[in-house]
Amino acid sequence: MARLGTGIGWRPEIADAVERMPGIDWVEVVAENTCPGHLPASLTRLRERGVTVVPHGVGLGLGGAERPDEGRLAALAERASVLGSPLVTEHIAFVRAGGPLTATGRLEAGHLLPVPRTRDALDVLCENVRIAQDALPVPLAVENIAALIAWPDEEMTEGQFLYELADRTGVRLLIDVANLHTNHVNRGEDPAEALGDLPVEALAYVHVAGGFVRDGVWHDSHAHPVPRPVLDILTDLASRVSPPGVLLERDDNFPEPALLEQELEAIREAVRDGERLAVKRELVRLGRDARAAARAGRGGRLGRGAPRERVGASAVGGGAGGGRGGGTGTAVALAPAPVPSPAPALTPGVGTRTGTNTSTGTGTGTGTGTGVSDATRQRLGLAQAALLSALVAGTPVPEGFDRVRIGVQARALAAKRAGVVAKVAPELPVILGDGYRAAFLAYAQGHPMRGGYRQDALDFVERVLLDGPQARGRVRRELRTWWRDRSGPAPRPGSRLVRAARRGRELIGR
């Protein structure tokens, strides 16, 4: 795996600042927001300077019950080729549910939702990952996600789940330490335990981001400064393995460039702290081994005038990263203690655990086998459809879920929809003014997404024009013009959609 270095998520709002930032080795772009034939000039200039660009997908839904969509895979492959990327990344998540597999209506989450850590879900995920690997021109890495909710009756920890996924498929891992912190706060999961179970040779790179806590729930906002606990998890990870790359994610509420540069330097320092910690641990281990050997007579007797052990003195000074001292060292002659080794290339099906893991996966990572049965996919699909319907359509909460947390997640999804629609259709908050957010949240309660966010914006405006009390006078005229300009081609003549659209246009035109 190529060493990426320190990077930042490229976003149009900070494009100029990113170009001027010192020490930026690589950037990551949201794949679905990148048009291969019309790359932003800033990205083109960065690539000409030798800055690596990695496409980061959010829409494949590799953890969903259905096989990955061929069109989405082809689009991700095209972006990797156009950008000359060494790898592409996606998420261990489902983003839609329903459809023919479950004989239910198609639902879109507009968000990354957790997959259950069960054998069924793991089998489906592994097959979906292999399908994606076969379709992509470069290696694939998948990211652990943040979660507000937990599935009932899970069979594995996060670390065990990720270990088996990498072991069976050879996929690389994008570890988001902010998401480990989120799951610690929201689900009581131990980040150190998760890191201890990971196959470190699978590490592709690391994400770091900020968030905020509200009512005891951590929200992974990517719009706030990186907190100390997230940096501490990064230090822990870096003490176990030298990460090939570390990237700062920031998606909103962008600060001044100087503050972003300070966060990047804090990230670099956290990695250096991890390397120093690894050196100290190695010296302690070597000292312990030397004392044990001496006691057993294998290390030779300490003769008169021979050096004696010093307990409490630091032997780290001058080590990698510049040790600070304070550790337990030894004065016996020892080879220099190494910093954490770089993550080597992963051999499919072969992993080295860094901690205790009780999972018993038997996959070979070769991509062969009989495949996952339709019955397995259907079981997973029905469970995911029931959860997503409760979150976005107000249907009853499935048994075993925390109803309070489901409510928190549902409100968070609606709020995210309102925020993203305001970005893809910035005219709407201007036209509706202070009433935009309340109007959208009211619409979202009874109208799940049926496509992307641009379609969601169209559906929202149509609903406001048909039913909303805000659509009067100037507001109605401007919304009507906006909708007509963007509503796209007419449906087929004579279809049910034509009749509905005709009636809608008659009402909207009044």
Side-chain angles (χ1 to χ4, degrees):
M1 180 68 208
R3 305 295 291 179
L4 293 170
T6 303
I8 189 170
W10 184 93
R11 303 294 182 265
E13 296 90 339
I14 56 172
D16 292 341
V18 169
E19 284 192 68
R20 295 192 297 268
M21 284 181 185
I24 296 297
D25 303 306
W26 65 292
V27 297
E28 185 187 76
V29 296
V30 178
E32 288 81 357
N33 295 345
T34 306
C35 181
H38 300 84
L39 291 180
S42 173
L43 273 184
T44 300
R45 288 191 293 269
L46 287 171
R47 290 189 64 232
E48 290 171 348
R49 282 168 36 190
V51 175
T52 299
V53 181
V54 174
H56 184 54
V58 296
L60 270 186
L62 291 172
E66 294 186 337
R67 292 172 177 82
D69 179 77
E70 291 182 2
R72 293 179 186 274
L73 281 173
L76 189 56
E78 182 185 15
R79 282 152 179 78
S81 298
V82 168
L83 293 169
S85 306
L87 78 165
V88 297
T89 58
E90 249 288 352
H91 297 83
I92 302 170
F94 79 100
V95 297
R96 61 187 63 86
L101 182 66
T102 58
T104 58
R106 172 76 69 184
L107 294 173
E108 292 280 343
H111 189 69
L112 302 165
L113 294 175
V115 301
R117 297 172 194 156
T118 62
R119 290 292 165 189
D120 275 0
L122 180 61
D123 289 344
V124 170
L125 175 62
C126 286
E127 186 172 81
N128 288 350
V129 164
R130 292 188 191 108
I131 293 170
Q133 288 171 318
D134 289 342
L136 294 169
V138 293
L140 170 68
V142 290
E143 178 182 355
N144 60 305
I145 71 163
L148 290 176
I149 56 179
W151 285 82
D153 303 321
E154 291 190 312
E155 300 165 4
M156 286 169 272
T157 65
E158 181 163 38
Q160 292 166 351
F161 194 81
L162 294 175
Y163 181 91
E164 288 218 23
L165 173 64
D167 188 53
R168 290 169 58 175
T169 65
V171 74
R172 298 182 183 276
L173 299 178
L174 192 181
I175 297 302
D176 190 316
V177 292
N179 291 347
L180 292 179
H181 174 67
T182 301
N183 295 344
H184 171 64
V185 176
N186 294 346
R187 299 171 52 158
E189 298 174 356
D190 184 359
E193 180 181 341
L195 291 176
D197 281 339
L198 293 178
V200 295
E201 71 275 19
L203 184 64
Y205 62 86
V206 180
H207 270 176
V208 183
F212 66 95
V213 66
R214 179 189 294 151
D215 299 328
V217 174
W218 184 266
H219 296 265
D220 181 47
S221 67
H222 294 192
H224 295 78
V226 177
R228 185 72 248 171
V230 170
L231 293 174
D232 290 342
I233 298 173
L234 175 60
T235 293
D236 188 1
L237 185 152
S239 74
R240 301 166 189 262
V241 62
S242 180
V246 184
L247 182 127
L248 172 64
E249 288 189 292
R250 190 71 177 237
D251 294 333
D252 206 350
N253 191 29
F254 298 100
E256 292 297 317
L259 294 179
L260 288 176
E261 291 175 21
Q262 289 176 16
E263 287 205 287
L264 287 165
E265 185 53 38
I267 288 169
R268 295 185 185 99
E269 184 61 25
V271 172
R272 289 193 289 266
D273 285 344
E275 293 171 347
R276 287 188 282 261
L277 180 58
V279 171
K280 291 181 181 180
R281 285 175 178 167
E282 182 68 5
L283 286 174
V284 169
R285 185 190 67 79
L286 290 171
R288 185 171 58 244
D289 290 350
R291 290 192 296 272
R295 285 194 299 269
R298 293 191 299 269
R301 297 181 179 277
L302 290 173
R304 183 175 301 175
R308 295 181 178 273
E309 293 182 353
R310 290 184 302 168
V311 179
S314 172
V316 183
R324 294 174 177 174
T328 300
T330 176
V332 298
L334 298 171
V339 298
S341 59
L346 179 66
T347 301
V350 180
T352 301
R353 301 173 192 266
T354 61
T356 301
N357 188 316
T358 59
S359 56
T360 57
T362 57
T364 64
T366 62
T368 62
T370 58
V372 179
S373 69
D374 289 342
T376 299
R377 287 186 177 274
Q378 187 176 55
R379 283 195 302 270
L380 179 62
L382 288 169
Q384 290 178 338
L387 172 60
L388 185 52
S389 181
L391 289 171
V392 302
T395 57
V397 176
E399 185 177 353
F401 283 93
D402 185 323
R403 294 177 182 274
V404 174
R405 284 294 176 88
I406 291 292
V408 172
Q409 181 73 84
R411 291 189 292 275
L413 290 179
K416 179 179 179 180
R417 282 175 67 186
V420 177
V421 166
K423 286 186 175 181
V424 302
E427 305 87 358
L428 299 183
V430 176
I431 295 172
L432 289 166
D434 293 340
Y436 164 76
R437 186 173 178 82
F440 190 93
L441 294 179
Y443 151 79
Q445 287 181 350
H447 300 84
M449 287 180 68
R450 63 187 184 95
Y453 283 106
R454 288 177 175 80
Q455 183 62 53
D456 207 21
L458 284 167
D459 292 346
F460 165 60
V461 171
E462 183 171 342
R463 184 52 48 188
V464 170
L465 287 169
L466 291 172
D467 301 330
Q470 304 91 346
R472 297 193 180 96
R474 176 195 60 80
V475 170
R476 182 178 186 83
R477 290 191 299 273
E478 293 185 9
L479 286 178
R480 183 176 59 196
T481 299
W482 184 94
W483 186 84
R484 283 177 166 171
D485 288 345
R486 294 164 177 81
S487 55
R492 294 188 305 276
S495 70
R496 177 180 59 82
L497 290 175
V498 158
R499 293 193 295 274
R502 185 181 299 125
R503 173 160 158 42
R505 283 183 169 87
E506 288 172 355
L507 293 170
I508 291 169
R510 292 177 184 172

